[in-house]
Amino acid sequence: MITTDLSLALPEIFLACAATVLLMYGAYAGKNTASFVSAMAVAVLAVAFGLIFLGDRPASTAFGGLFIVDAYGDYMKLVVLVASGFGILMTQRFVEREGMAKFEIPVLMVLSTLGMLMMISANDLMSLYVGLELQSLALYVIAAIRRENLRSSEAGLKYFVLGALSSGMLLYGCSMIYGFTGTTDFDILGNVLSAAASADQTPQIGLIVGLVFVCAAIAFKISAVPFHMWTPDVYEGAPTPVTAFFASAPKVAAITLFARLLSDPFGSLVSEWQQIIVFVALASMILGSLAAIKQTNIKRLMAYSSIGNIGFALVGLAAGTQEGITGLIIYMTIYIFMNMGTFACILSMRQKGTMVENIDDLKGLSKTNPMMAFALTIFMFSMAGIPPLAGFFAKYVVFAAAVNAGLTTLAVIGILTSVIGAFYYLRIIKVMYFDEPSTSFDKPIGGEMTFVLTVSTAFVVFFILFSTPIMDGAAVAASALFVG
């Protein structure tokens, strides 16, 4: 059913209008507006969350089929909004302490979130591109927001140049797909390709080439190997709360788009694209696990950790089944809480008013700040996949889906790389609990950071108690991609 009912896009329309109002307010109200704009930005995201969570949104398309609303999109939008809200909360206190209180940061984050929601609801290659660019343009600016800082400027420039390259690859791939199928609409694409598969027609080589280019462009956005080269430098150079934002919400949105694109219009070509995803998943898991071992900067370590985590999530996508997509959804839901909690701890690493980022600065943290050491230990154990923490269930569901889909070798290699990755997570715990204390961290860490830490820790520890609603919701969301 195609409709022009604007209520289907009400959360996105609300975010666009609210971001415009906040931008105008910040521009005309003068100085010292950053705190208020940040608080209002969080409130705006909360309202958008409510519009999706409480709204009765039937599965349908709008704007001539460019925009789709379904259970899959709604679930992942909720995850993105939570990650973005945490990101803005973590930014507020940081920018005040660093003397870079700019109201533009939360506004850009809201605009980037709007692009993410558009990506998730994209039902056409054109709306896919528009949503992706709206997200990316805001992120380019945020990465280089500290213009006086050389590392921040370098991070922004690298991300912009490589992002422009990936956008070119995406457009080229879209043009190839359009040239060989005559459409950019996901529904029509699915019908055309399904009909060709039913008639045992071999896919045209140009179509496969176009799909490869699109996959490569989206792989850049999720920092999957071999398109990960920007990740460590950008994560290290960007302000820490911006890095936390980069490592969570945009990845969720991009991998959600990836799963919709491959499972819906290109579902009949699973034997073709599965090879690509298996390779990317393997390469990401292996490089993410091995390259992080020698890192001394905790932000660079988290960059390689995020590459490895994306590899684990792609194991679910590689399965090409509804169970695999369910596993991917659960994995990304758990990942944002583990990731945001870890970055909240990193943001609290301040000594004598200065941010520190080296792993050695955590020495003896259990003696100088036992609660933070406990929280960081929980996140490290969870990322390592230690039961009964949430990270164990995240890895279990994607590996189980891979085994059930006949990808046993992929699952075994994933388990081995997870064991290797546990080394650098456990090394951080060893530094905190068994090394002699260094200078203690500054206190307090702020109410916003305490909230993020508390919620994230509680989610990771007690996930086993309320996992059923999340897993059931993920299963319903995944089933929306396989209707018909």
Side-chain angles (χ1 to χ4, degrees):
M1 175 183 178
I2 298 178
T3 179
T4 55
D5 186 2
L6 296 182
S7 65
L8 294 176
L10 185 58
E12 289 78 9
I13 294 172
F14 173 76
L15 280 183
C17 295
T20 303
V21 171
L22 290 177
L23 180 63
M24 297 298 292
Y25 172 81
Y28 285 99
K31 297 181 179 180
N32 303 320
T33 60
S35 296
F36 177 76
V37 173
S38 293
M40 292 305 298
V42 174
V44 164
L45 295 180
V47 172
F49 185 98
L51 290 174
I52 296 173
F53 186 76
L54 301 175
D56 183 15
R57 292 154 56 88
S60 184
T61 57
F63 307 109
L66 295 173
F67 187 92
I68 187 170
V69 172
D70 56 11
Y72 174 71
D74 284 351
Y75 184 102
M76 299 310 292
K77 285 178 183 180
L78 296 178
V79 176
V80 165
L81 288 169
V82 170
S84 297
F86 278 4
I88 295 176
L89 282 174
M90 293 165 62
T91 303
Q92 184 173 352
R93 187 67 60 111
F94 175 86
V95 296
E96 291 175 355
R97 291 185 307 197
E98 296 295 317
M100 49 177 287
K102 300 177 180 180
F103 75 89
E104 294 94 339
I105 296 177
V107 174
L108 287 169
M109 285 184 170
V110 172
L111 288 172
S112 180
T113 304
L114 171 61
M116 296 175 207
L117 302 192
M118 295 296 294
M119 287 166 56
I120 292 172
S121 282
N123 196 46
D124 189 284
L125 292 175
M126 295 300 98
S127 54
L128 178 158
Y129 177 75
V130 171
L132 196 63
E133 286 305 294
L134 176 57
Q135 172 212 260
S136 299
L137 288 172
L139 293 180
Y140 296 150
V141 179
I142 298 174
I145 197 71
R146 301 184 70 175
R147 290 175 293 178
E148 75 286 352
N149 185 288
L150 182 60
R151 289 200 307 171
S152 180
S153 299
E154 179 186 0
L157 183 60
K158 285 182 177 178
Y159 188 46
F160 173 73
V161 172
L162 293 174
L165 175 63
S166 73
S167 295
M169 293 172 64
L170 177 64
L171 284 176
Y172 182 75
C174 291
S175 67
M176 292 283 288
I177 293 171
Y178 175 74
F180 282 90
T181 62
T183 183
T184 58
D185 185 277
F186 284 1
D187 295 331
I188 301 176
L189 266 175
N191 294 334
V192 170
L193 297 178
S194 295
S198 299
D200 293 327
Q201 295 179 2
T202 303
Q204 295 171 296
I205 188 64
L207 174 64
I208 302 302
V209 170
L211 179 59
V212 169
F213 271 93
V214 171
C215 288
I218 300 178
F220 171 88
K221 299 300 180 182
I222 59 177
S223 64
V225 177
F227 307 98
H228 66 286
M229 69 292 293
W230 60 274
T231 312
D233 292 336
V234 172
Y235 277 34
E236 183 181 11
T240 303
V242 173
T243 301
F245 184 71
F246 269 50
S248 54
K251 288 184 182 293
V252 174
I255 204 166
T256 300
L257 171 65
F258 210 2
R260 184 188 292 281
L261 180 70
L262 296 181
S263 302
D264 192 0
F266 293 100
S268 59
L269 299 182
V270 62
S271 59
E272 280 76 18
W273 59 255
Q274 188 179 56
Q275 303 171 52
I276 302 172
I277 303 303
V278 167
F279 168 77
V280 171
L282 281 172
S284 298
M285 291 188 295
I286 293 171
L287 183 135
S289 297
L290 296 178
I293 292 176
K294 291 189 176 182
Q295 301 303 317
T296 58
N297 182 289
I298 195 167
K299 287 171 68 176
R300 290 187 72 89
L301 183 146
M302 288 302 296
Y304 286 108
S305 172
S306 72
I307 293 171
N309 276 288
I310 286 298
F312 294 131
L314 288 175
V315 170
L317 179 58
T321 62
Q322 183 173 328
E323 182 187 6
I325 299 299
T326 301
L328 182 148
I329 294 171
I330 294 171
Y331 195 99
M332 296 310 296
T333 302
I334 294 173
Y335 169 73
I336 66 162
F337 286 95
M338 296 190 300
N339 187 74
M340 282 300 189
T342 302
F343 272 101
C345 293
I346 296 173
L347 271 167
S348 303
M349 293 170 58
R350 298 181 62 84
Q351 295 176 349
K352 299 179 181 179
T354 303
M355 284 287 302
V356 291
E357 299 175 359
N358 291 326
I359 296 174
D360 286 343
D361 293 314
L362 293 167
K363 287 182 176 179
L365 184 63
S366 62
K367 300 178 180 65
T368 59
N369 197 327
M371 293 306 297
M372 188 183 298
F374 172 76
L376 189 53
T377 298
I378 291 296
F379 298 128
M380 294 298 101
F381 274 138
S382 183
M383 286 192 173
I386 306 298
L389 301 177
F392 167 77
F393 295 98
K395 292 182 179 179
Y396 173 79
V397 291
V398 293
F399 291 152
V403 171
N404 292 335
L407 301 176
T408 306
T409 302
L410 176 63
V412 170
I413 295 176
I415 294 171
L416 292 176
T417 56
S418 180
V419 173
I420 295 172
F423 168 79
Y424 56 81
Y425 295 128
L426 296 178
R427 182 183 63 170
I428 293 176
I429 297 173
K430 176 261 179 186
V431 167
M432 293 191 296
Y433 280 89
F434 297 102
D435 287 6
E436 289 301 316
S438 58
T439 306
S440 60
F441 291 160
D442 298 347
K443 299 179 181 180
I445 63 174
E448 303 88 354
M449 212 67 66
T450 302
F451 173 78
V452 174
L453 269 175
T454 302
V455 173
S456 300
T457 305
F459 182 92
V460 170
V461 173
F462 299 111
F463 177 81
I464 190 173
L465 301 179
F466 55 84
S467 60
T468 301
I470 293 178
M471 290 187 172
D472 289 346
V476 171
S479 67
L481 288 183
F482 292 87
V483 174

